[in-house]
Amino acid sequence: MINPTEHIADQFGRIHDYLRISLTERCNLRCFYCMPEDGIVLSEKSNLMSHEEVIAIAQQFVQLGVKKIRLTGGEPLLKKNIEKIIEELSQLPISLGITTNGILLEKYIDLFNKCGVKDINISLDTLNKEKFEQITRRDYFDKVLSNIDLYEKNGFNVKINNVIIKGTNDDEIADFIAFTKNRNIAIRFIEFMPFDGNKWNTEKIITLDDILKVAKERFSEENIITLKSKKNGTAKNFRINGFKGEFGVISTVSNPFCDSCNRIRLTANGRIKNCLFSSTETDLLTPLRNGENIAEHIKKGILHKFKVRGGMETNEDFFNEDNFTKNRNMTTIGG
Ligand code: SAM
Ligand code: SF4
């Protein structure tokens, strides 16, 4: 039985108790903002974490005080032995969730029920079938939509991640909010973030104010209810009066939430990133394979985390292509 005795803290006293594990670099979509059309050069299989290594590393994190784990990718449901990974992680004293593109979800509903995995984040950027194909370069729109309905009807906590990009899907903001009228679902509009080769520029950012403006025009100001923020939450959340679901905005670019950051990212090749935007990483897989105690590597890797956005304190730094092209692309970080 794991009995957490320590905390993972950084030099600014931020306690890190939330681990996002990217299980695989592979994906069955090619969302243009995340992955190049021809895919990415994948790591050698021997350099990726096996199912046993994922569990061993996760156990060490839980021993160090991690209370929440989210599985991501690439597409996490493509990981070999995903059933075993979920079953074994669900034995740990944590809350376990998953972020998925939704394509394979119907196969796993019994497993998730059995293992108590309730928090299911599904990515969907458009309610239009043709646009879905343009964004993802694949034809799975109907499947994703039916799986969203399946999980909502079965009582899971479903959130829809929507990367909102000017000129691509910002004309659908009101339709996505309307989607929450009869569904107990939370839509989360995520600001488009810059990564190597993803055609990002500042003009494509849609901010919280832009979204609220559309919401006021379509549903009128007095019907917009501001919801209480969650501890370490990244979204500002709202509900339209009388609607079952809610919507939120994650302003990673225009208004980062670094002060309350409690997140650690573990990549599929066993490295930790102490920030989504950091260009440095700490290898855990090699020391694990060498039989070393990885706890010290974890603590050191987090201790020197920068205060803000991987050390890019000003927008000038952050928007400088030379900086963000040093980072991995999102497929291999996991969001
Ligand atoms: N394949 C799964 C999925 O799409 O949900 C999990 C991995 S994906 C990298 C995790 C999240 O990152 C998704 O919600 C995706 O929309 C988001 N994402 C990817 N690239 C992004 C970008 N450039 N800006 C903002 N969010 C991004
Ligand atoms: Fe795949 Fe998710 Fe990236 Fe889309 S956002 S390409 S589904 S990893």
Side-chain angles (χ1 to χ4, degrees), residues 5 83 89 99 156 172 180 209 227 231 262 296 299:
T5 45
E83 288 94 344
L89 288 178
T99 298
F156 287 83
E172 295 189 60
T180 66
D209 286 348
L227 304 174
K231 187 173 172 257
N262 63 341
E296 291 312 311
K299 286 194 253 172

Side-chain angles (χ1 to χ4, degrees), residues 32 163-171 173 192 201-207 210:
F32 77 84
V163 180
I164 192 82
I165 303 174
K166 193 173 276 170
T168 297
N169 57 354
D170 56 324
D171 55 336
I173 293 169
F192 183 26
N201 72 52
T202 42
E203 258 126 65
K204 293 185 184 166
I205 297 175
I206 296 286
T207 63
D210 298 327

Side-chain angles (χ1 to χ4, degrees), residues 12 30 74 96 122 126 237-238 253 262 291 306:
F12 303 102
R30 291 285 179 277
L96 182 60
I122 305 173
T126 176
N237 298 309
F238 308 89
V253 178
N262 63 341
F306 283 104

Side-chain angles (χ1 to χ4, degrees), residues 27-31 33-35 73-75 101 123 331:
C27 191
N28 39 8
L29 293 183
R30 291 285 179 277
C31 307
Y33 51 74
C34 176
M35 249 240 223
E75 175 45 42
N101 60 30
S123 297
T331 333

Side-chain angles (χ1 to χ4, degrees), residues 56-309:
I57 294 176
Q59 283 172 335
Q60 182 61 76
F61 273 101
V62 175
Q63 186 73 49
L64 290 173
V66 161
K67 297 189 180 70
K68 179 173 162 184
I69 293 182
R70 175 166 291 279
L71 302 176
T72 174
E75 175 45 42
L77 295 176
L78 292 176
K79 172 76 175 170
K80 195 174 160 216
N81 287 327
I82 181 73
E83 288 94 344
K84 283 190 191 152
I85 292 176
I86 288 175
E87 273 170 15
E88 289 171 33
L89 288 178
S90 73
Q91 306 296 314
L92 298 173
I94 49 158
S95 99
L96 182 60
I98 188 162
T99 298
T100 165
N101 60 30
I103 295 172
L104 297 170
L105 268 177
E106 79 281 4
K107 281 171 62 179
Y108 295 100
I109 191 161
D110 292 340
L111 175 76
F112 289 158
N113 266 323
K114 185 177 101 187
C115 296
V117 180
K118 282 301 200 190
D119 295 330
I120 315 288
N121 292 3
I122 305 173
S123 297
L124 180 71
D125 305 308
T126 176
L127 296 168
N128 174 299
K129 192 173 160 65
E130 283 74 44
K131 206 190 279 182
F132 182 93
E133 282 191 46
Q134 286 159 18
I135 293 174
T136 67
R137 302 169 174 130
R138 296 290 185 272
D139 172 19
Y140 286 114
F141 177 76
D142 295 327
K143 172 64 91 183
V144 175
L145 212 59
S146 72
N147 280 338
I148 288 172
D149 281 339
L150 175 72
Y151 272 66
E152 193 260 341
K153 290 203 173 78
N154 279 278
F156 287 83
N157 304 326
V158 177
K159 289 185 181 152
I160 293 183
N161 284 350
N162 176 306
V163 180
I164 192 82
I165 303 174
K166 193 173 276 170
T168 297
N169 57 354
D170 56 324
D171 55 336
E172 295 189 60
I173 293 169
D175 295 343
F176 266 103
I177 297 173
F179 193 78
T180 66
K181 183 169 182 190
N182 298 311
R183 294 178 176 87
N184 191 10
I185 276 180
I187 305 285
R188 302 177 337 146
F189 297 106
I190 303 174
E191 279 181 356
F192 183 26
M193 290 182 267
F195 293 96
D196 196 9
N198 78 351
K199 303 189 178 82
W200 180 89
N201 72 52
T202 42
E203 258 126 65
K204 293 185 184 166
I205 297 175
I206 296 286
T207 63
L208 171 66
D209 286 348
D210 298 327
I211 287 165
L212 286 179
K213 184 165 175 270
V214 174
K216 283 173 195 166
E217 277 162 16
R218 173 82 168 259
F219 304 101
S220 102
E221 188 161 1
E222 60 274 18
N223 283 325
I224 301 175
I225 303 162
T226 304
L227 304 174
K228 245 176 105 183
S229 310
K230 300 190 180 93
K231 187 173 172 257
N232 301 115
T234 51
K236 294 233 168 15
N237 298 309
F238 308 89
R239 184 191 299 279
I240 303 296
N241 198 5
F243 282 22
K244 259 175 114 176
E246 55 186 72
F247 68 99
V249 183
I250 304 187
S251 311
T252 323
V253 178
S254 66
N255 186 17
F257 27 80
C258 305
D259 282 353
S260 60
C261 184
N262 63 341
R263 295 163 177 230
I264 304 170
R265 292 174 167 85
L266 176 65
T267 63
N269 61 350
R271 289 153 184 268
I272 46 173
K273 285 179 76 72
N274 61 22
C275 170
L276 182 55
F277 298 110
S278 73
S279 51
T280 57
E281 301 173 350
T282 305
D283 184 12
L284 299 183
L285 192 54
T286 309
L288 181 83
R289 288 180 180 176
N290 290 341
E292 291 172 40
N293 175 355
I294 59 169
E296 291 312 311
H297 295 272
I298 294 173
K299 286 194 253 172
K300 237 192 249 164
I302 300 304
L303 185 66
H304 299 294
K305 173 166 171 157
F306 283 104
K307 192 160 194 265
V308 174
R309 290 190 303 212

